[in-house]
Amino acid sequence: MSLSKEIVGTWKLVSYQVELQGSEEYIDAMGDFPRGRVIFTIDGWVAFNLEGAGRKPAHSDEDRANLMQTLVAYIGRYRIEGNQWVTTVQTAWAPEWVGTEQRRTVTINGDSAHVVTPWRKMPNWARDRMSRSIIKLVRHS
């Protein structure tokens, strides 16, 4: 089956790690029990919302700012290129992503998906270092 058919549906976040370039260091960016969904529609839309474990309601501006450290969210049109999905971002948690293309390499094995981002600087962790995210998802029924 082609990736364009396999990817359609709702996926649940299982884990989210960040690898720091040039080291053996990994950041467990979303904790032990993260939550989130990635939804791919048949007509080419993707909604991506991932949250870290243990998030609590904010009581101050500082709390709200800290919550951004454990969130990745965007919506846009996607297309498949080989073993990658490429999203043209229309709305995002990080305004600098709007209008960009976000490329993700994905391997689907049954109801599991392994996703790897390109090396880049993320606005919410390891800001001054190149990193890539390694994300595990399972098909959610």
Side-chain angles (χ1 to χ4, degrees):
M1 183 183 296
S2 70
L3 181 57
S4 60
K5 291 186 179 166
E6 281 185 295
I7 206 166
V8 171
T10 302
W11 297 85
K12 179 182 176 183
L13 177 63
V14 174
S15 68
Y16 193 118
Q17 288 192 313
V18 175
E19 180 183 3
L20 300 179
Q21 191 175 47
S23 74
E24 298 290 321
E25 188 177 352
Y26 286 83
I27 299 169
D28 194 15
M30 299 293 194
D32 290 339
F33 300 103
R35 63 182 180 184
R37 300 289 185 275
V38 182
I39 302 168
F40 292 92
T41 67
I42 198 161
D43 62 343
W45 286 95
V46 61
F48 194 93
N49 191 90
L50 308 180
E51 300 177 0
R55 289 168 52 95
K56 304 283 185 215
H59 299 289
S60 68
D61 289 343
E62 182 180 359
D63 289 349
R64 278 182 274 291
N66 287 333
L67 285 171
M68 293 300 292
Q69 304 302 310
T70 57
L71 176 68
V72 177
Y74 60 86
I75 295 172
R77 301 286 294 174
Y78 77 92
R79 66 183 185 277
I80 301 298
E81 292 182 359
N83 66 343
Q84 297 183 329
W85 91 74
V86 183
T87 304
T88 301
V89 178
Q90 294 188 10
T91 65
W93 62 287
E96 61 270 24
W97 281 26
V98 175
T100 68
E101 287 193 340
Q102 296 295 314
R103 185 173 295 272
R104 307 290 182 256
T105 300
V106 60
T107 304
I108 297 176
N109 186 3
D111 287 337
S112 297
H114 183 257
V115 180
V116 179
T117 69
W119 294 103
R120 78 273 196 243
K121 289 186 180 180
M122 283 292 283
N124 54 345
W125 49 71
R127 285 189 185 103
D128 297 328
R129 296 182 65 185
M130 296 293 284
S131 67
R132 69 178 176 179
S133 297
I134 301 164
I135 305 163
K136 293 180 183 172
L137 306 167
V138 294
R139 192 175 297 281
H140 186 71
S141 52

